[in-house]
């Protein structure tokens, strides 16, 4: 089991809950605005999983956000989340949306309480430009979204989720309308990335949320 790092307390990662945040190694994408590049390139030898589980046990943490990198690329993700759920902890997963089958497996095992799904662009061209990955398409994102939206627990409940889009280019209202139509979504929060003054043409992460 491998966890790259963790934040003991977060007031912003898990909507409505105070959580700890666990970071996993590695990502299949290479976003131009990556907010955690050190996790994407860092070798996976660094592992704080013992410290992380000790901390949440000792401090009676009842909610954890798992983020990365891309958590679904981790060979340990099922094991990590299962262990948290066995401790009766609510789990939120942040994902880039490119692993619909892995996400489906987690859902089918009732292992997720909240999902934050990244939308990298409103078209395949935009997604591939910004992620620098020629295999990731809007259709794959829509399959992931559909898995989330159609999932029902054995009690018939849906899973809480949000779509997050980093506004890295200017879109027209029609682009959003078209996307919302194809994804059958009425609204989603935006995380706006202002330009970083120190690095021209790059952007930095900033946690501003708007609703359109
Ligand atoms: S999906 Fe996330 S972690 Fe991976 S490269 Fe993009 S921004 Fe970075």
């Amino acid at each position: 089991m491998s966890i790259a790092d963790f934040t003991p307390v977060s007031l912003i990662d898990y909507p409505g809950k105070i959580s700890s945040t666990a970071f996993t190694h590695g990502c299949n994408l290479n976003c131009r605005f990556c907010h955690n590049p050190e996790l994407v390139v860092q070798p996976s030898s660094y592992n704080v999983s013992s410290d992380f589980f000790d901390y949440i046990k000792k401090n009676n943490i009842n909610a954890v956000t798992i983020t990365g990198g891309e958590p679904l690329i981790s060979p340990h993700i099922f094991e990590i989340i299962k262990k948290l759920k066995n401790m009766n902890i609510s789990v939120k997963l942040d994902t880039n949306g490119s692993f619909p089958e892995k996400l489906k497996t987690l859902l089918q095992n009732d292992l997720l309480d909240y999902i934050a799904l990244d939308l990298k662009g409103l078209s395949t061209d935009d997604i591939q430009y910004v992620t620098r990955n020629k295999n990731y398409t809007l259709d794959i994102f829509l399959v992931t979204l559909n898995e989330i939206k159609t999932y029902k627990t054995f009690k018939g409940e849906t899973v809480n989720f949000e779509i997050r889009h980093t506004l890295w280019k200017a879109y027209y209202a029609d682009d959003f309308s078209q996307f919302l139509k194809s994804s059958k979504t009425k609204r989603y929060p935006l995380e706006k990335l202002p330009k970083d003054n120190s690095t021209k043409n790059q952007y930095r992460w900033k946690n501003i949320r708007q609703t359109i």
Side-chain angles (χ1 to χ4, degrees), residues 76-101:
H76 311 286
I77 193 63
F78 195 92
E79 194 186 347
I80 293 168
I81 296 179
K82 187 111 182 149
K83 186 165 176 176
L84 291 169
K85 294 301 291 176
N86 287 341
M87 295 163 73
N88 214 17
I89 289 172
S90 298
V91 174
K92 169 178 174 265
L93 179 78
D94 292 353
T95 178
N96 65 29
S98 61
F99 292 106
E101 285 305 316

Side-chain angles (χ1 to χ4, degrees), residues 27 29-31 33-36 40 68-70 96 118 120:
C27 186
L29 306 182
N30 184 16
C31 298
F33 55 75
C34 184
H35 53 285
N36 278 331
V40 174
E70 167 51 46
N96 65 29
D118 280 352
K120 300 297 185 185

